[in-house]
Amino acid sequence: MTEPSMTSPARPTVGAPGAQLLEGALTVLGDEPTSRVAHLLSLPQELPLALFSAMARLRAFDERAVILQRQGVIGTYPTYFGEEAVQAAGVLALSNEDWLFPTYRQTAAVTLRGCPPEVPLLMWRGHPGGWHDVMRYRVAPICVPIATNYPHAVGAAWGAKLKGEKVVALAFGGDGSTSAGEFHEACNLAAVVGAPVIFLVTNNQWAISTPISKQTRVTRLADKAAAYGMPGIRVDSFDVFACFEAVREAADRARAGLGPTLIEAVGYRLGPHGTADEPSMYRDQAQAGLWAAMEPLGRTEAALIEAGLADQQQLEQIRKSAAAALFDVADRLAATPLPPIEEIADSVHLRTPWSLSPERLHEPKWISNG
Amino acid sequence: MQLNMVEAIGRALGQILEDDPSSVLMGEDIGVNGGVFRATVGLQQRFGDDRVVDTPLAEAGFVGAAIGMCLVGLHPIVEIQFDAFVYPALQQLFDHAGRFRWRTQGAYGLPMVIRLPYGGGTKAPELHSDSPETIFSHMPGLRVVIPSDPRSAGELLLAAAGCGDPVIFMEPKRMYRRGRYEVPEALLAGDLDKAVVVRDGSDLSLIAYGAMVEVAEGAADVLAQEGASVRVVDLRSIYPLDRDELLSAASETGRVVVVQEAPRHCGVAAEIAAMIQEEAADSMLAPTLRVTGMDMPFPLFQSEDEMLPSIPRVVATARAALNY
């Protein structure tokens, strides 16, 4: 059924850059056609297309955000082109009761929990309306400083466990974050207290310009889990079905009281670090080009068609409507009024101190009145 | 009942655990051991190890975890073992704790307390005598509270636990066992934003907090013998400052000396002096003066009395203001 022009769902052929890196990583799309088709058909009926739709929405958001940055509608923006499978699986493999702790690169993950896309876009427009409703979506504010969201996820998971609730927490992160102290402190604490938490680390080989070889001597980040006494799973980051299985299994373990899991989603950063980054300055772009065949939406499309779960036209339609939903988003962003600074100052404390009161925000009155 | 400061803190913690089923104590050695200062003695036995939790030795990790706990409805009270041990957790406090409510446009706060035994005068090793209140009060979104005696410690700790935002609750460990004083059997939450006039006077105001309140009172005794009527103000809240009480003290006495054991540069005393300069200059009869620690690492303990403001230093500075 696979159309010859389309990306094969299989992993790259031997000799391609991915073959070695992905060796031993959990895969569905890299399996023999019969077993991957069987896997897709074994899933709950709605799930394969739901995963694809989620990825299509993430892609549409990302592409629109890059356009909006070029147009000057938003500021600098960290694109996640190629990471859609990890993000979609991370959100959809959990229930809406579970907590997510995104970084700045999973800025649109909250939209998969029902938050309108203009909210995270307002963030990149420098507007306080960009802070989504944390409690409503059970998604923490996006975390800018590297690795510092890991302890938050541990605390939420541990806290839920202390309260006797079956809630799981998932923290996103990247390869660079595993060098930071809070990755270690969080993993260690999580394992010690048996926190039902999932560390979902995308290893895309690059932290801005720093390759993984300058980040760690461990070639498989999942191996780090052994040091904490928790399982470490490697999964193909471009394979949404494999990512879904990895997260679901980790969540099952967590809910069963078996504690944390480290998941290393292995792949390659297909795009730049962000809109202000120029990868050709520090890496061989031909290498990145070889990985382009792994681009997760194309791979998923091919697999869905191969399994007879959708046809090309249907999938095109899903992509088109995801993009169309964002056509007028710039107008909606522009129409969102900016609150005065007094209102923003009033949001810092429950009881606003005098120094943040409207009459005291600036210089004392006798000065400003001349 | 008669309690010293550390007993009053323990009693307040017990009362919080009793009254608020969502409260959780966490920190290093606070369980069976009752904390290195014994503030939590008996609490794990009384409330169980789900409410009084020993953590690994990793301040950034467990302060970060406390933030996550708040999201699922818990009210963590975190003990940091010693002042300088909080430095690994500063990123969590500055980047996350203080910013959380702002990140929700005011909707949700983090009801957490960081208990921080601090300050010198206990002949402790290096990095066990720091007074880092300034850095917390400079970073947005954190309240900074410092009691000076057993009763204020208990009452302010209750208030901190109930305030709905992160509070850095700094305990002057030199005062932990400085005698037992009357503390109500059932503590009531104090007022988190209020300085307290511990002794009234009309010639000069000594502004102090933590262990320096006792020093200021000692100085006021000496000055009283010389015929000066000295007001002593216990600041209690480092952020926000009690502007009304401070400006009253300045305008009613016309002379102010601020005492802090922290290093001088950009300290609390400097902020108070600037406030008085900007808003009460017309009433002042003398420049606002400071008695502070020095801009250097807290010395090894044989020299600590040189670092810490003493009664003679405060008296000498007050005389300079009185004779200006």
Side-chain angles (χ1 to χ4, degrees):
Chain A
M1 261 194 101
T2 310
E3 296 182 22
S5 63
M6 188 178 295
T7 315
S8 162
R11 63 176 41 169
T13 52
V14 179
Q20 200 187 345
L21 273 171
L22 290 172
E23 203 180 299
L26 189 66
T27 183
V28 170
L29 298 180
D31 288 343
E32 291 304 311
T34 46
S35 57
R36 67 182 175 234
V37 167
H39 180 91
L40 265 62
L41 295 178
S42 75
L43 295 172
Q45 202 184 346
E46 308 294 324
L47 183 59
L49 272 180
L51 285 168
F52 178 78
S53 298
M55 284 197 294
R57 284 168 59 195
L58 290 173
R59 173 67 55 82
F61 180 98
D62 195 52
E63 288 178 343
R64 178 55 50 179
V66 171
I67 292 168
L68 294 172
Q69 190 276 333
R70 299 298 185 226
Q71 291 173 335
V73 175
I74 65 172
T76 189
Y77 169 76
T79 168
Y80 51 77
F81 175 69
E83 201 188 277
E84 297 86 350
V86 179
Q87 295 187 20
V91 179
L92 269 64
L94 298 181
S95 94
N96 286 348
E97 299 299 299
D98 296 324
W99 272 90
L100 301 174
F101 292 82
T103 76
Y104 55 84
R105 205 171 296 285
Q106 294 81 35
T107 185
V110 71
T111 67
L112 300 183
R113 289 249 171 116
C115 180
E118 47 268 42
V119 172
L121 286 170
L122 280 170
M123 165 68 62
W124 301 109
R125 193 170 153 81
H127 186 293
W131 299 114
H132 62 259
D133 188 326
V134 167
M135 295 298 166
R136 179 173 172 190
Y137 301 113
R138 295 202 172 196
V139 178
I142 61 159
C143 181
V144 171
I146 299 301
T148 56
N149 59 325
Y150 292 134
H152 305 164
V154 175
W158 181 19
K161 186 186 170 186
L162 290 174
K163 290 176 76 181
E165 294 168 3
K166 289 277 179 200
V167 170
V168 171
L170 180 146
F172 288 98
D175 39 72
S177 77
T178 63
S179 306
E182 260 126 308
F183 171 77
H184 163 71
E185 294 195 16
C187 287
N188 184 59
L189 178 59
V192 168
V193 301
V197 62
I198 301 166
F199 303 101
L200 182 50
V201 177
T202 299
N203 178 2
N204 66 20
Q205 318 298 327
W206 294 95
I208 306 188
S209 70
T210 308
I212 188 74
S213 60
K214 290 191 177 166
Q215 209 69 247
T216 175
R217 292 300 295 259
V218 175
T219 51
R220 299 175 171 215
L221 297 180
D223 289 351
K224 295 195 177 205
Y228 306 107
M230 70 166 121
I233 311 292
R234 297 176 74 247
V235 60
D236 176 349
S237 75
F238 298 123
D239 182 337
V240 72
F241 302 105
C243 289
F244 184 89
E245 286 309 314
V247 176
R248 194 186 50 80
E249 226 178 277
D252 287 349
R253 279 176 37 77
R255 268 186 252 280
L258 298 173
T261 303
L262 172 62
I263 300 175
E264 177 192 5
V266 193
Y268 199 86
R269 201 185 71 211
L270 300 183
H273 166 73
T275 49
D277 180 41
E278 181 43 70
S280 65
M281 287 176 69
Y282 54 79
R283 73 179 190 185
D284 177 8
Q285 287 296 84
Q287 182 86 353
L290 292 173
W291 281 87
M294 298 291 275
E295 179 280 307
L297 268 82
R299 265 182 111 195
T300 308
E301 277 183 348
L304 290 169
I305 293 168
E306 177 187 64
L309 289 168
D311 60 32
Q312 182 71 46
Q313 202 184 352
Q314 199 180 347
L315 298 173
E316 274 303 313
Q317 194 48 49
I318 290 171
R319 286 211 205 208
K320 274 184 186 156
S321 56
L326 291 160
F327 282 160
D328 64 345
V329 77
D331 297 337
R332 281 178 272 156
L333 296 177
T336 309
L338 183 67
I341 193 71
E342 288 79 7
E343 202 174 297
I344 298 171
D346 192 38
S347 73
V348 181
H349 298 264
L350 182 60
R351 279 188 300 142
T352 296
W354 61 267
S355 60
L356 292 175
S357 65
E359 60 274 18
R360 297 249 155 231
L361 263 186
H362 302 292
E363 293 70 28
K365 255 196 190 107
W366 71 267
I367 302 174
S368 49
N369 291 346
Chain B
M1 59 200 309
Q2 300 282 311
L3 299 177
N4 64 29
M5 184 185 279
V6 81
E7 290 164 345
I9 288 167
R11 196 164 169 82
L13 291 171
Q15 202 173 313
I16 292 164
L17 287 166
E18 189 86 48
D19 295 346
D20 175 8
S22 297
S23 59
V24 176
L25 309 191
M26 55 197 288
E28 293 157 359
D29 309 300
I30 68 163
V32 180
N33 193 45
V36 293
F37 291 106
R38 311 285 177 255
T40 55
V41 159
L43 294 178
Q44 192 178 62
Q45 280 163 294
R46 222 171 116 197
F47 296 99
D49 57 7
D50 278 1
R51 305 285 307 283
V52 181
V53 185
D54 283 314
T55 64
L57 219 162
E59 284 79 4
F62 65 73
V63 169
I67 292 170
M69 282 181 167
C70 292
L71 298 185
V72 296
L74 294 180
H75 303 154
I77 299 175
V78 182
E79 177 175 307
I80 303 288
Q81 205 156 61
F82 284 92
D83 30 62
F85 299 5
V86 77
Y87 301 155
L90 293 185
Q91 187 175 22
Q92 287 294 339
L93 293 169
F94 296 168
D95 289 5
H96 296 298
R99 290 165 172 266
F100 188 84
R101 183 176 292 281
W102 171 77
R103 284 179 184 153
T104 66
Q105 299 179 77
Y108 310 110
L110 299 175
M112 61 191 279
V113 178
I114 305 293
R115 290 183 45 238
L116 188 65
Y118 86 99
T122 63
K123 304 208 181 309
E126 196 201 357
L127 291 165
H128 289 63
S129 297
D130 277 13
S131 295
E133 64 272 17
T134 287
I135 55 175
F136 297 111
S137 68
H138 189 72
M139 297 307 279
L142 301 172
R143 282 176 175 270
V144 185
V145 175
I146 303 184
S148 59
D149 60 16
R151 182 170 180 165
S152 64
E155 292 177 342
L156 292 173
L157 185 50
L158 282 179
C163 105
D165 282 324
V167 178
I168 311 297
F169 190 82
M170 297 180 57
E171 302 166 4
K173 55 179 172 304
R174 169 180 169 183
M175 305 306 289
Y176 267 166
R177 297 175 191 284
R178 201 93 160 170
R180 291 191 164 83
Y181 294 89
E182 186 57 30
V183 173
E185 195 121 348
L187 284 158
L188 295 174
D191 194 335
L192 220 44
D193 300 347
K194 286 281 172 227
V196 169
V197 177
V198 293
R199 168 189 308 214
D200 204 4
S202 53
D203 296 331
L204 175 137
S205 295
L206 291 174
I207 315 288
Y209 54 94
M212 293 301 103
V213 174
E214 189 191 63
V215 173
E217 287 197 86
D221 286 339
V222 174
L223 293 162
Q225 287 163 16
E226 297 172 7
S229 165
V230 174
R231 180 181 300 191
V232 178
V233 179
D234 178 4
L235 201 53
R236 296 191 177 189
S237 179
I238 306 300
Y239 188 88
L241 288 173
D242 185 345
R243 178 175 168 272
D244 294 343
E245 199 60 72
L246 289 170
L247 291 180
S248 297
S251 59
E252 286 165 24
T253 65
R255 297 178 181 88
V256 172
V257 173
V258 192
V259 189
Q260 71 179 36
E261 63 177 281
R264 195 176 190 83
H265 185 80
C266 286
V268 173
E271 181 60 33
I272 291 172
M275 180 198 288
I276 291 169
Q277 175 71 5
E278 281 178 347
E279 304 204 48
D282 288 350
S283 318
M284 300 313 287
L285 304 169
T288 298
L289 302 178
R290 294 177 282 168
V291 185
T292 71
M294 302 154 194
D295 293 344
M296 58 184 272
F298 194 90
L300 297 179
F301 66 76
Q302 284 202 30
S303 313
E304 73 177 336
D305 290 343
E306 302 287 327
M307 178 80 163
L308 293 165
S310 60
I311 292 174
R313 279 174 63 197
V314 175
V315 167
T317 307
R319 280 189 196 129
L322 286 164
N323 298 329
Y324 185 77

